[in-house]
Amino acid sequence: MKISEAARKSGLSIDTIRFYEKSGLVPHVSRGVDGHRRFSPDTIDWLVLLASLRATGMPMRAMRAFAELYAQGDATIRARRQTLLDHAERLKTMQRDLDHCAALLDKKLGIYRDMLGE
Amino acid sequence: MKISEAARKSGLSIDTIRFYEKSGLVPHVSRGVDGHRRFSPDTIDWLVLLASLRATGMPMRAMRAFAELYAQGDATIRARRQTLLDHAERLKTMQRDLDHCAALLDKKLGIYRDMLGE
DNA sequence: ACTTGATCTGGAGTTGCTCCAGGACGCTAC
DNA sequence: GTAGCGTCCTGGAGCAACTCCAGATCAAGT
């Protein structure tokens, strides 16, 4: 399928997909006779995963390292698993940041409520 | 107190504090006779709030708007409350993103476990 | 007097996009 | 058959939010 559909299905923008490919985050993107990119279902899955990793703050360096492992095939599965485990740890930290911020907002909102006498 | 202590207490870096001040996010920073910045306890509180907002992805534009309201005093409390309520909504969205990513990671990790036969 | 440590300023560099100009196809419609 | 769409391409500029650095100042300790 073409890039617009890949963007729709992955939630990444067309520009971001091209940028990621250029940056080595998306291996094995072939071209049609028209010179346009063609995305396989596996590559779409990969883009979906990248979108999720990016939305949760994985740096591009780490995504590139992960992509290089992915491109090398099954021998790298342990390393890839470790990457995902590490990211899962980061998610927990972000979780705590969100909770902490939510608590602070509640506190501030309470102060505003008092000041407004409501 | 001075900038290094402000950095320690707020969790922002010294560079970020200077950058935020230059960008209009930190009103009313006075200077000592030595020309160095002096931070009041209120300003520290403000930096702590900024740090939390930034850690949870509030754009600088929004932080600047919020800072301008803050600088204008109590008449803007309703508007400021609205800003915080809006951000609390964003936190919920980020929460969902995190949960979604965690679920996806679990799924991928399950696949890896199967491939490794463990 | 001299080194150390903290601060200052202005500006360059980095990351991760995002947008745009200019150009090439292919399709429908006149 | 050519005019106008829509989608794609490339290379490069622009932007947000830092981050780092060079070069200068100045107070305090030895």
Side-chain angles (χ1 to χ4, degrees), chain B residues 67-85:
Chain B
E68 279 158 12
L69 292 172
Y70 176 65
Q72 284 167 39
D74 288 357
T76 65
I77 284 180
R78 272 169 207 283
R80 277 189 270 158
R81 180 176 59 177
Q82 193 55 52
T83 303
L84 296 191
L85 286 171

PDB file of all heavy atoms in Angstrom, chain B residues 67-85:
ATOM      1  N   ALA B  67       1.951  32.161  32.036  1.00  0.00           N
ATOM      2  CA  ALA B  67       2.836  33.059  32.777  1.00  0.00           C
ATOM      3  C   ALA B  67       2.350  34.505  32.679  1.00  0.00           C
ATOM      4  O   ALA B  67       2.422  35.265  33.651  1.00  0.00           O
ATOM      5  CB  ALA B  67       4.263  32.958  32.242  1.00  0.00           C
ATOM      6  N   GLU B  68       1.835  34.874  31.500  1.00  0.00           N
ATOM      7  CA  GLU B  68       1.348  36.246  31.335  1.00  0.00           C
ATOM      8  C   GLU B  68       0.126  36.497  32.210  1.00  0.00           C
ATOM      9  O   GLU B  68      -0.016  37.574  32.813  1.00  0.00           O
ATOM     10  CB  GLU B  68       1.050  36.527  29.858  1.00  0.00           C
ATOM     11  CG  GLU B  68       2.343  36.871  29.094  1.00  0.00           C
ATOM     12  CD  GLU B  68       2.241  36.653  27.590  1.00  0.00           C
ATOM     13  OE1 GLU B  68       1.119  36.461  27.079  1.00  0.00           O
ATOM     14  OE2 GLU B  68       3.312  36.658  26.925  1.00  0.00           O
ATOM     15  N   LEU B  69      -0.735  35.487  32.300  1.00  0.00           N
ATOM     16  CA  LEU B  69      -1.899  35.608  33.188  1.00  0.00           C
ATOM     17  C   LEU B  69      -1.439  35.742  34.643  1.00  0.00           C
ATOM     18  O   LEU B  69      -1.929  36.594  35.394  1.00  0.00           O
ATOM     19  CB  LEU B  69      -2.796  34.372  33.052  1.00  0.00           C
ATOM     20  CG  LEU B  69      -3.519  34.208  31.713  1.00  0.00           C
ATOM     21  CD1 LEU B  69      -4.216  32.855  31.653  1.00  0.00           C
ATOM     22  CD2 LEU B  69      -4.516  35.327  31.484  1.00  0.00           C
ATOM     23  N   TYR B  70      -0.502  34.894  35.005  1.00  0.00           N
ATOM     24  CA  TYR B  70       0.040  34.881  36.374  1.00  0.00           C
ATOM     25  C   TYR B  70       0.606  36.260  36.724  1.00  0.00           C
ATOM     26  O   TYR B  70       0.346  36.810  37.793  1.00  0.00           O
ATOM     27  CB  TYR B  70       1.118  33.807  36.449  1.00  0.00           C
ATOM     28  CG  TYR B  70       1.877  33.691  37.759  1.00  0.00           C
ATOM     29  CD1 TYR B  70       1.246  33.304  38.931  1.00  0.00           C
ATOM     30  CD2 TYR B  70       3.249  33.935  37.791  1.00  0.00           C
ATOM     31  CE1 TYR B  70       1.973  33.172  40.116  1.00  0.00           C
ATOM     32  CE2 TYR B  70       3.974  33.789  38.973  1.00  0.00           C
ATOM     33  CZ  TYR B  70       3.331  33.414  40.133  1.00  0.00           C
ATOM     34  OH  TYR B  70       4.054  33.285  41.291  1.00  0.00           O
ATOM     35  N   ALA B  71       1.334  36.854  35.777  1.00  0.00           N
ATOM     36  CA  ALA B  71       1.960  38.150  36.020  1.00  0.00           C
ATOM     37  C   ALA B  71       0.919  39.255  36.191  1.00  0.00           C
ATOM     38  O   ALA B  71       1.196  40.293  36.795  1.00  0.00           O
ATOM     39  CB  ALA B  71       2.919  38.493  34.877  1.00  0.00           C
ATOM     40  N   GLN B  72      -0.278  39.028  35.654  1.00  0.00           N
ATOM     41  CA  GLN B  72      -1.312  40.064  35.730  1.00  0.00           C
ATOM     42  C   GLN B  72      -2.095  40.037  37.039  1.00  0.00           C
ATOM     43  O   GLN B  72      -2.952  40.892  37.269  1.00  0.00           O
ATOM     44  CB  GLN B  72      -2.287  39.922  34.551  1.00  0.00           C
ATOM     45  CG  GLN B  72      -1.720  40.437  33.245  1.00  0.00           C
ATOM     46  CD  GLN B  72      -2.565  40.002  32.061  1.00  0.00           C
ATOM     47  OE1 GLN B  72      -3.788  39.989  32.139  1.00  0.00           O
ATOM     48  NE2 GLN B  72      -1.909  39.623  30.983  1.00  0.00           N
ATOM     49  N   GLY B  73      -1.859  39.029  37.858  1.00  0.00           N
ATOM     50  CA  GLY B  73      -2.465  39.026  39.180  1.00  0.00           C
ATOM     51  C   GLY B  73      -3.794  38.282  39.274  1.00  0.00           C
ATOM     52  O   GLY B  73      -4.177  37.546  38.368  1.00  0.00           O
ATOM     53  N   ASP B  74      -4.496  38.527  40.370  1.00  0.00           N
ATOM     54  CA  ASP B  74      -5.651  37.713  40.749  1.00  0.00           C
ATOM     55  C   ASP B  74      -6.835  37.798  39.797  1.00  0.00           C
ATOM     56  O   ASP B  74      -7.690  36.907  39.784  1.00  0.00           O
ATOM     57  CB  ASP B  74      -6.125  38.110  42.162  1.00  0.00           C
ATOM     58  CG  ASP B  74      -5.145  37.624  43.230  1.00  0.00           C
ATOM     59  OD1 ASP B  74      -4.167  36.951  42.856  1.00  0.00           O
ATOM     60  OD2 ASP B  74      -5.376  37.915  44.415  1.00  0.00           O
ATOM     61  N   ALA B  75      -6.891  38.858  38.997  1.00  0.00           N
ATOM     62  CA  ALA B  75      -8.030  39.009  38.089  1.00  0.00           C
ATOM     63  C   ALA B  75      -8.084  37.888  37.047  1.00  0.00           C
ATOM     64  O   ALA B  75      -9.114  37.644  36.425  1.00  0.00           O
ATOM     65  CB  ALA B  75      -7.966  40.366  37.384  1.00  0.00           C
ATOM     66  N   THR B  76      -6.980  37.195  36.886  1.00  0.00           N
ATOM     67  CA  THR B  76      -6.911  36.171  35.822  1.00  0.00           C
ATOM     68  C   THR B  76      -7.068  34.746  36.352  1.00  0.00           C
ATOM     69  O   THR B  76      -6.772  33.785  35.637  1.00  0.00           O
ATOM     70  CB  THR B  76      -5.550  36.264  35.100  1.00  0.00           C
ATOM     71  OG1 THR B  76      -4.512  35.937  36.030  1.00  0.00           O
ATOM     72  CG2 THR B  76      -5.300  37.650  34.546  1.00  0.00           C
ATOM     73  N   ILE B  77      -7.550  34.625  37.571  1.00  0.00           N
ATOM     74  CA  ILE B  77      -7.583  33.288  38.171  1.00  0.00           C
ATOM     75  C   ILE B  77      -8.495  32.318  37.429  1.00  0.00           C
ATOM     76  O   ILE B  77      -8.157  31.154  37.228  1.00  0.00           O
ATOM     77  CB  ILE B  77      -7.939  33.376  39.665  1.00  0.00           C
ATOM     78  CG1 ILE B  77      -6.696  33.853  40.420  1.00  0.00           C
ATOM     79  CG2 ILE B  77      -8.372  32.012  40.207  1.00  0.00           C
ATOM     80  CD1 ILE B  77      -6.878  33.996  41.882  1.00  0.00           C
ATOM     81  N   ARG B  78      -9.633  32.822  36.962  1.00  0.00           N
ATOM     82  CA  ARG B  78     -10.525  31.933  36.210  1.00  0.00           C
ATOM     83  C   ARG B  78      -9.843  31.387  34.959  1.00  0.00           C
ATOM     84  O   ARG B  78      -9.935  30.208  34.648  1.00  0.00           O
ATOM     85  CB  ARG B  78     -11.807  32.673  35.814  1.00  0.00           C
ATOM     86  CG  ARG B  78     -12.866  32.596  36.870  1.00  0.00           C
ATOM     87  CD  ARG B  78     -14.036  33.543  36.603  1.00  0.00           C
ATOM     88  NE  ARG B  78     -14.651  33.911  37.862  1.00  0.00           N
ATOM     89  CZ  ARG B  78     -15.477  33.098  38.537  1.00  0.00           C
ATOM     90  NH1 ARG B  78     -15.771  31.903  38.069  1.00  0.00           N
ATOM     91  NH2 ARG B  78     -15.996  33.493  39.688  1.00  0.00           N
ATOM     92  N   ALA B  79      -9.168  32.288  34.254  1.00  0.00           N
ATOM     93  CA  ALA B  79      -8.484  31.869  33.027  1.00  0.00           C
ATOM     94  C   ALA B  79      -7.384  30.863  33.341  1.00  0.00           C
ATOM     95  O   ALA B  79      -7.189  29.883  32.617  1.00  0.00           O
ATOM     96  CB  ALA B  79      -7.912  33.086  32.311  1.00  0.00           C
ATOM     97  N   ARG B  80      -6.664  31.113  34.435  1.00  0.00           N
ATOM     98  CA  ARG B  80      -5.593  30.188  34.809  1.00  0.00           C
ATOM     99  C   ARG B  80      -6.161  28.834  35.200  1.00  0.00           C
ATOM    100  O   ARG B  80      -5.598  27.796  34.860  1.00  0.00           O
ATOM    101  CB  ARG B  80      -4.789  30.774  35.971  1.00  0.00           C
ATOM    102  CG  ARG B  80      -3.743  31.761  35.482  1.00  0.00           C
ATOM    103  CD  ARG B  80      -2.827  32.149  36.604  1.00  0.00           C
ATOM    104  NE  ARG B  80      -3.341  33.313  37.312  1.00  0.00           N
ATOM    105  CZ  ARG B  80      -3.016  33.646  38.558  1.00  0.00           C
ATOM    106  NH1 ARG B  80      -2.174  32.882  39.228  1.00  0.00           N
ATOM    107  NH2 ARG B  80      -3.513  34.719  39.120  1.00  0.00           N
ATOM    108  N   ARG B  81      -7.281  28.869  35.928  1.00  0.00           N
ATOM    109  CA  ARG B  81      -7.900  27.600  36.290  1.00  0.00           C
ATOM    110  C   ARG B  81      -8.256  26.818  35.029  1.00  0.00           C
ATOM    111  O   ARG B  81      -8.030  25.616  34.936  1.00  0.00           O
ATOM    112  CB  ARG B  81      -9.154  27.845  37.131  1.00  0.00           C
ATOM    113  CG  ARG B  81      -9.820  26.534  37.523  1.00  0.00           C
ATOM    114  CD  ARG B  81     -11.011  26.728  38.424  1.00  0.00           C
ATOM    115  NE  ARG B  81     -12.025  27.561  37.789  1.00  0.00           N
ATOM    116  CZ  ARG B  81     -13.201  27.837  38.347  1.00  0.00           C
ATOM    117  NH1 ARG B  81     -13.494  27.376  39.544  1.00  0.00           N
ATOM    118  NH2 ARG B  81     -14.060  28.599  37.719  1.00  0.00           N
ATOM    119  N   GLN B  82      -8.788  27.548  34.039  1.00  0.00           N
ATOM    120  CA  GLN B  82      -9.167  26.878  32.797  1.00  0.00           C
ATOM    121  C   GLN B  82      -7.950  26.238  32.128  1.00  0.00           C
ATOM    122  O   GLN B  82      -8.023  25.115  31.625  1.00  0.00           O
ATOM    123  CB  GLN B  82      -9.857  27.865  31.845  1.00  0.00           C
ATOM    124  CG  GLN B  82     -10.547  27.161  30.684  1.00  0.00           C
ATOM    125  CD  GLN B  82     -11.543  26.104  31.175  1.00  0.00           C
ATOM    126  OE1 GLN B  82     -12.410  26.374  32.001  1.00  0.00           O
ATOM    127  NE2 GLN B  82     -11.390  24.864  30.702  1.00  0.00           N
ATOM    128  N   THR B  83      -6.823  26.961  32.151  1.00  0.00           N
ATOM    129  CA  THR B  83      -5.592  26.408  31.574  1.00  0.00           C
ATOM    130  C   THR B  83      -5.228  25.085  32.250  1.00  0.00           C
ATOM    131  O   THR B  83      -4.913  24.098  31.575  1.00  0.00           O
ATOM    132  CB  THR B  83      -4.433  27.403  31.760  1.00  0.00           C
ATOM    133  OG1 THR B  83      -4.798  28.644  31.154  1.00  0.00           O
ATOM    134  CG2 THR B  83      -3.160  26.892  31.113  1.00  0.00           C
ATOM    135  N   LEU B  84      -5.304  25.081  33.571  1.00  0.00           N
ATOM    136  CA  LEU B  84      -4.941  23.862  34.296  1.00  0.00           C
ATOM    137  C   LEU B  84      -5.952  22.747  34.042  1.00  0.00           C
ATOM    138  O   LEU B  84      -5.572  21.573  33.896  1.00  0.00           O
ATOM    139  CB  LEU B  84      -4.823  24.150  35.789  1.00  0.00           C
ATOM    140  CG  LEU B  84      -3.710  25.133  36.192  1.00  0.00           C
ATOM    141  CD1 LEU B  84      -3.518  25.136  37.701  1.00  0.00           C
ATOM    142  CD2 LEU B  84      -2.385  24.804  35.508  1.00  0.00           C
ATOM    143  N   LEU B  85      -7.230  23.105  33.957  1.00  0.00           N
ATOM    144  CA  LEU B  85      -8.240  22.086  33.654  1.00  0.00           C
ATOM    145  C   LEU B  85      -7.981  21.482  32.276  1.00  0.00           C
ATOM    146  O   LEU B  85      -8.069  20.266  32.087  1.00  0.00           O
ATOM    147  CB  LEU B  85      -9.650  22.700  33.706  1.00  0.00           C
ATOM    148  CG  LEU B  85     -10.183  23.000  35.117  1.00  0.00           C
ATOM    149  CD1 LEU B  85     -11.481  23.799  35.046  1.00  0.00           C
ATOM    150  CD2 LEU B  85     -10.411  21.699  35.891  1.00  0.00           C
TER     151      LEU B  85
END
